Amino acid sequence: MSFFYRLLIFLLFQFVISGCFLNKYLIYYPNIDQGNYYSKDNILKIRKGMTKSQVIYILGYPLLKEPFFQSKWYYIFRKKIGFNLVKQETIILSFKNNILKDIKYHSLCLNCN
């Protein structure tokens, strides 16, 4: 084989490999929001001692409830930004006798630099 033929095959091979690598930069990936959308203002309105109906009025219905006891509510918001950044925020509300007793907030970031 001639030198130019080998060079052409090599350059074509490099172009194909780099094309697969550049897909994440050339293709548009929309932001994807999933779960309960809530703002920081709504979170600050939640106080211990509120009833379940008051919490529903502010945050809406929870995404998950404890299946047997109905005493824990989970508000989960997950956002995929662009190609690979995933942020997840979880609010866990614990009730006793229909009164809010505990509020926990967790924030998780996957594939973050």
Side-chain angles (χ1 to χ4, degrees):
M1 288 208 261
S2 70
F3 172 74
F4 292 110
Y5 185 68
R6 289 182 186 172
L7 181 64
L8 181 64
I9 290 175
F10 177 74
L11 291 175
L12 182 62
F13 180 71
Q14 290 297 324
F15 180 72
V16 169
I17 290 175
S18 66
C20 294
F21 173 73
L22 294 175
N23 276 345
K24 69 179 184 180
Y25 300 110
L26 298 175
I27 298 174
Y28 174 71
Y29 291 93
N31 296 339
I32 300 172
D33 298 336
Q34 294 178 323
N36 295 97
Y37 182 77
Y38 47 82
S39 66
K40 300 292 181 188
D41 295 334
N42 288 349
I43 296 171
L44 294 175
K45 290 178 186 176
I46 301 297
R47 302 276 183 236
K48 292 180 181 178
M50 296 178 83
T51 64
K52 287 184 177 182
S53 60
Q54 290 172 327
V55 173
I56 289 173
Y57 181 76
I58 294 172
L59 293 178
Y61 286 95
L63 188 64
L64 295 170
K65 292 182 183 179
E66 286 277 333
F68 298 110
F69 302 109
Q70 301 289 318
S71 63
K72 277 194 178 179
W73 289 2
Y74 297 89
Y75 289 88
I76 301 169
F77 179 66
R78 185 177 170 105
K79 183 171 190 154
K80 185 170 192 286
I81 302 171
F83 180 69
N84 61 357
L85 182 65
V86 177
K87 292 175 129 183
Q88 180 171 319
E89 298 175 359
T90 305
I91 300 174
I92 303 171
L93 303 177
S94 299
F95 293 90
K96 186 173 183 181
N97 298 328
N98 289 333
I99 302 295
L100 183 61
K101 293 295 180 188
D102 190 29
I103 303 168
K104 293 181 184 174
Y105 175 80
H106 299 283
S107 182
L108 177 67
C109 189
L110 305 172
N111 298 330
C112 295
N113 296 332

